Amino acid sequence: MTPCTITRTTEVAAPLADSWDLIGTARGLARWLGSDLRLEGDDEVLAVGSVATVIDDLGAMRRLVVTDLDDGRRIGFTWWDDADPGLASQVTLGVEAARAGTTITATETVDAAALGAAGGRASALVPAAVHDLTAADLGWGDRLDRLARRFEPCLALVGV
Amino acid sequence: MTQSAASPDAAGPDAVFAALGDPTRRSLLETIGQRPEVTATELAADLPISRQGVVKHLQVLAGAGLIRAERVGREQRYRLDAEALGDAVGWMLRTGAAWDRRLDRLRRDLG
């Protein structure tokens, strides 16, 4: 498996317990993960094996299955777009006490092979760049600059 | 909503490389990738170039199949067509932008 990973870290000026309430509970996740989140079944408490439906902010429906729960610290789930169930990704959300509040980390990983990385017009140039682009927590400007540098030999070939 | 997108199959790799070779266009692509959709006027507000200049860059990006343009009423709205960058990079752009939006909501909620 060749993983393709996105990591985002943010610090909030809120106590760890308040941050965890938004990360580790269905009611909390429903307030920010998408426009809506509903747990399946009667259970209102998230646990390993819990199944939920998430409507994301662009209106797409996603299915979510909780795969890992370390109460007060970390939750992991697998989710996928209902319209593309073959492309599931793994998400981990973690909270950690910081000097001025809480550090929240979100990581999403997908198998690059599942993305069809071998296909597509420009993707023949991309696989070698993917690791470089995903190795560090970069801003989008840095990612695109790295991508452009990868393409420099090709740009020279086509006279750009 | 009417669609007036450049066909992704119409542009070759040369057009993609040429579009990515300009730092202003990379900056525009970065901004477009972070939002569901955006107008040329909104993009020009964040850049030291005119709206007309932004439109010219957007036409190059659309010609390369990197963005799509949709007319909504009198507005032309642009969105990333990340497939042209390759599936993996496209996934990173879409997923990264989605987490940026989610964490913005989370920060507002905790603020």
Side-chain angles (χ1 to χ4, degrees), chain A residues 4 6 8 10 22 31-33 57 79 108 110 115-116 121-122 125-126 134 140-141 144-145 148 151 155 158, chain B residues 8 11 14 17 20 26 30 34 64 84-85 87 89 91-92 95-96 99-103 105-107 109:
Chain A
C4 204
I6 285 289
R8 289 287 186 274
T10 188
L22 286 185
R31 286 165 62 173
W32 65 274
L33 191 61
D57 54 342
W79 70 347
E108 182 160 359
V110 71
L115 294 168
R121 185 180 50 209
L125 294 160
V126 165
T134 57
W140 292 115
L144 288 165
D145 282 342
F151 286 173
L155 295 171
V158 298
Chain B
D14 291 3
F17 298 145
L20 289 172
R26 290 204 297 275
E30 172 195 347
Q34 290 171 350
L85 284 169
D87 296 322
V89 174
W91 180 86
M92 287 196 306
T95 304
W99 280 109
D100 289 338
R101 292 194 299 272
R102 290 180 193 121
L103 292 178
R105 287 196 294 271
L106 178 60
R107 275 192 296 269
D109 209 312

Side-chain angles (χ1 to χ4, degrees), chain A residues 27-66:
Chain A
R27 195 167 47 185
L29 286 172
R31 286 165 62 173
W32 65 274
L33 191 61
S35 62
D36 194 17
L37 180 145
R38 288 180 202 156
L39 271 181
E40 290 185 7
D42 298 330
D43 216 352
E44 292 189 0
V45 178
L46 282 179
V48 171
S50 291
V51 178
T53 299
V54 181
I55 308 296
D56 76 18
D57 54 342
L58 300 179
M61 184 185 290
R62 302 184 72 86
R63 303 282 182 188
L64 176 159
V65 180
V66 177

Side-chain angles (χ1 to χ4, degrees), chain A residues 7 61 103 124:
Chain A
T7 300
M61 184 185 290
T103 299

Side-chain angles (χ1 to χ4, degrees), chain A residues 63-100:
Chain A
R63 303 282 182 188
L64 176 159
V65 180
V66 177
T67 55
D68 176 41
L69 187 63
D70 184 348
D71 196 27
R73 295 180 59 188
R74 187 183 67 246
I75 183 169
F77 54 83
T78 296
W79 70 347
W80 60 92
D81 191 322
D82 221 28
D84 192 6
L87 187 59
S89 52
Q90 179 68 31
V91 174
T92 301
L93 302 172
V95 293
E96 212 173 338
R99 189 179 299 173

